[in-house]
Amino acid sequence: MSDPESTIQTLNLPITTQSVEETMRLGKALADALVPGTVVALTGDLGTGKTHLVKGIAAGLGIDPAAVRSPTFVILQTYEAGRLPLYHFDAYRVGSEDEFVELGYEAYFFGDGISVVEWPGRVASLLPDDALRLRLSHVSPSERRIERGD
Amino acid sequence: MLLGIESSCDDTAAAVLEGETVRSSVVSSQADLHEAYGGVVPELASRNHQRLIVPVVQKALSEAGAEPDDLDAVAVTVGPGLPGSLLVGLSFGKAFARSLDVPLVGVNHLEGHLYSVDIEAPRPPRPYLCLIVSGGHTELVLVEEDFQHTVLGRTRDDAAGEAFDKVAQLFGLGYPGGPEIDERAQRGDPSFHDFPRSRLDGFDFSFSGLKTSVLYHLRDFSDAEREQLFADHRDDLCASFQAAVVDVLVDAVRRAADETGAAHVAVVGGVAANRELRTRVETAGSEDGFAVHVPDFRYCMDNAAMIATAGRLRLDAGFTAPPTVDIDSGLGLSGEG
């Protein structure tokens, strides 16, 4: 497998995607850069395409993107059917970092799969230093900007 | 008697069933259990399930006038849900069943919702069409016979209840604000704004486009204009948004009832408490000729009476769980496409 950082460099972030499909394609390309134990922190308001980016990552890992649903209510959705397991967290309803610890997040963050965390600010100090931090924002009703950062 | 235990998400719940009759149903968020373990009940996390499971089970037994020795089986949710939370319920259920030397039954939380219409009469005959709508799930299922299901459709992104809660926030109503949208929509004009109804192939649902559409509608205004819009028309916005969600759900139910010939339709899960949805499904039923079943409000929300009821059905069908049974956090309904 290639060096993750150099693969991410080839994505030429920041990028403005023109459609949901393009956001998914970016996620799919991103998946190639992900090695076991990678934590991806996704920051962005409601409706900026976080779920679609994760659907793309899932597709890149060989998981049916249609199976990827929002984890907001359940906090964590796990998908085991791909090349690597995908652990999709949404920290939105997590009231404190203690609660996240109680959920047993370490087993996922430091496990053999890819962890994606939405609303990572709620659990900021638990994110590993080498987490891949991406920020999504609205440009227009169909366009989204995706860049490194939190 | 059968004890049901549910701990898949926020609430710890226990219920006692005698035959098919619910003798007690205790849900931690509704019960006054503070004194039982000394503190305020926080919302989330498996540690709270650990604190609550014993007092909740004790309360369910005492309200039912039952002693542990009266139990002839224990049914417990094995998935889907949060791993740590599920583990608390299953570990307790396993140990309790073992200590009483009675069978343990593992129950799928979604089957609990499917059979929540069996908790009270009139119970729907099979086959029936079931719409599960809650904060975490939106699935349209044909129940052919007990434990023979076909999943006709499901959400591809947000659950319907989640769309309500997130849009409530955009309307400045706080989180979770689904019930307040229902309340305000009663007074609002559903034709105030035409939000999109997304209709996918088959019976799948998508609500993220609707959420984004609400967001963009509101972003077109300056802060001052938006405040004025909320002041003048918040109830109308709630009614317009709710109409879009309900249209999509009812449209799918009608098409599915037509296609499958189902004479009975059930609407279950937390969003089944929404008055507009109930009214519209009932109207569709009287127009199209199907009977509508909606559980009592307390059985729409996550509860253990539905786990006990599904557990009783499973036990009667001869399914018990081996001592090695494990949680399955990603468990789906069998018969998924």
Side-chain angles (χ1 to χ4, degrees):
Chain A
M1 192 168 293
S2 60
D3 170 39
E5 189 55 39
S6 63
T7 310
I8 292 163
Q9 295 298 336
T10 65
L11 299 177
N12 291 319
L13 300 177
I15 183 173
T16 299
T17 60
Q18 308 295 324
S19 66
V20 161
E21 291 72 26
E22 201 181 327
T23 300
M24 284 181 65
R25 277 200 295 279
L26 178 71
K28 201 170 172 181
L30 186 63
D32 293 337
L34 304 179
V35 296
T38 305
V39 176
V40 182
L42 294 185
T43 304
D45 288 337
L46 284 183
T48 45
K50 298 187 293 294
T51 300
H52 282 109
L53 190 69
V54 178
K55 280 178 179 278
I57 292 173
L61 295 174
I63 297 159
D64 177 10
V68 173
R69 281 161 287 157
S70 165
T72 303
F73 192 75
V74 293
I75 319 290
L76 167 64
Q77 300 267 20
T78 62
Y79 305 95
E80 309 271 355
R83 168 170 71 80
L84 295 172
L86 175 63
Y87 308 123
H88 185 191
F89 292 87
D90 187 333
Y92 188 82
R93 297 198 319 123
V94 175
S96 70
E97 293 188 338
D98 279 353
E99 288 187 352
F100 211 61
V101 172
E102 284 176 39
L103 297 180
Y105 81 99
E106 297 107 318
Y108 302 97
F109 277 23
F110 306 108
D112 55 0
I114 307 300
S115 296
V116 179
V117 188
E118 299 189 24
W119 298 93
R122 307 267 166 127
V123 293
S125 78
L126 301 178
L127 297 173
D129 291 341
D130 62 354
L132 172 60
R133 293 156 201 270
L134 298 176
R135 180 168 59 224
L136 291 82
S137 49
H138 292 278
V139 178
S140 76
S142 61
E143 294 174 302
R144 300 289 183 270
R145 179 182 164 91
I146 295 144
E147 61 199 313
R148 307 277 298 257
D150 51 18
Chain B
M1 291 196 226
L2 181 146
L3 173 70
I5 297 170
E6 152 68 28
S7 68
S8 65
C9 199
D10 297 359
D11 281 320
T12 317
V16 174
L17 215 58
E18 183 171 16
E20 291 182 337
T21 307
V22 178
R23 289 292 173 216
S24 65
S25 179
V26 176
V27 178
S28 57
S29 60
Q30 291 151 13
D32 184 16
L33 294 156
H34 297 193
E35 286 177 17
Y37 76 110
V40 176
V41 183
E43 285 212 333
L44 206 67
S46 49
R47 196 199 294 158
N48 295 317
H49 286 294
Q50 287 174 34
R51 287 191 196 116
L52 288 164
I53 186 100
V54 170
V56 166
V57 167
Q58 279 173 337
K59 193 169 167 66
L61 287 170
S62 80
E63 283 185 10
E67 297 292 330
D69 284 342
D70 297 329
L71 298 175
D72 55 38
V74 175
V76 57
T77 308
V78 294
L82 267 174
S85 302
L86 289 166
L87 205 53
V88 173
L90 181 59
S91 305
F92 180 90
K94 264 188 195 179
F96 205 45
R98 173 65 71 93
S99 72
L100 297 169
D101 197 25
V102 299
L104 178 75
V105 188
V107 175
N108 180 328
H109 178 82
L110 293 168
E111 287 182 358
H113 279 301
L114 283 184
Y115 299 116
S116 63
V117 279
D118 280 349
I119 296 175
E120 293 177 306
R123 302 176 171 94
R126 282 52 167 156
Y128 68 94
L129 185 66
C130 188
L131 177 68
I132 306 176
V133 267
S134 68
H137 304 280
T138 303
E139 311 215 2
L140 188 57
V141 183
L142 183 67
V143 181
E144 284 132 16
E145 290 172 39
D146 290 346
F147 308 110
Q148 273 192 35
H149 323 121
T150 304
V151 177
L152 303 174
R154 51 164 28 176
T155 184
R156 292 197 188 160
D157 37 60
D158 298 354
E162 179 180 351
F164 267 91
D165 287 337
K166 286 185 172 169
V167 166
Q169 217 172 11
L170 296 176
F171 290 161
L173 299 177
Y175 187 96
E180 192 174 349
I181 288 190
D182 180 7
E183 186 64 40
R184 288 176 171 275
Q186 300 273 313
R187 306 188 292 265
D189 173 9
S191 64
F192 176 72
H193 185 82
D194 187 22
F195 289 115
R197 278 75 168 151
S198 89
R199 179 161 158 186
L200 306 178
D201 292 341
F203 297 107
D204 275 356
F205 303 99
S206 168
F207 294 106
S208 81
L210 172 58
K211 173 186 72 187
T212 307
S213 153
V214 173
L215 180 83
Y216 272 91
H217 179 64
L218 298 175
R219 278 167 64 107
D220 287 343
F221 299 94
S222 70
D223 287 351
E225 287 170 338
R226 198 178 312 113
E227 284 313 307
Q228 194 58 48
L229 177 73
F230 283 157
D232 296 340
H233 294 293
R234 189 159 8 215
D235 294 350
D236 299 326
L237 286 166
C238 287
S240 300
F241 161 75
Q242 177 174 279
V245 176
V246 170
D247 275 356
V248 166
L249 294 172
V250 173
D251 174 64
V253 164
R254 293 184 93 145
R255 286 186 290 121
D258 182 52
E259 191 167 298
T260 61
H264 293 265
V265 170
V267 184
V268 304
V271 180
N274 180 278
R275 282 168 284 186
E276 180 69 9
L277 178 61
R278 293 172 93 121
T279 306
R280 291 277 307 281
V281 173
E282 274 166 19
T283 305
S286 55
E287 286 174 11
D288 297 359
F290 53 78
V292 176
H293 303 257
V294 183
D296 188 80
F297 176 78
R298 66 205 146 126
Y299 302 135
C300 290
M301 305 298 155
D302 284 354
N303 67 88
M306 69 183 196
I307 302 302
T309 298
R312 173 62 72 194
L313 280 175
R314 275 206 162 266
L315 194 63
D316 291 348
F319 298 116
T320 56
T324 52
V325 64
D326 201 358
I327 61 163
D328 184 349
S329 62
L331 186 63
L333 285 169
S334 55
E336 288 181 60

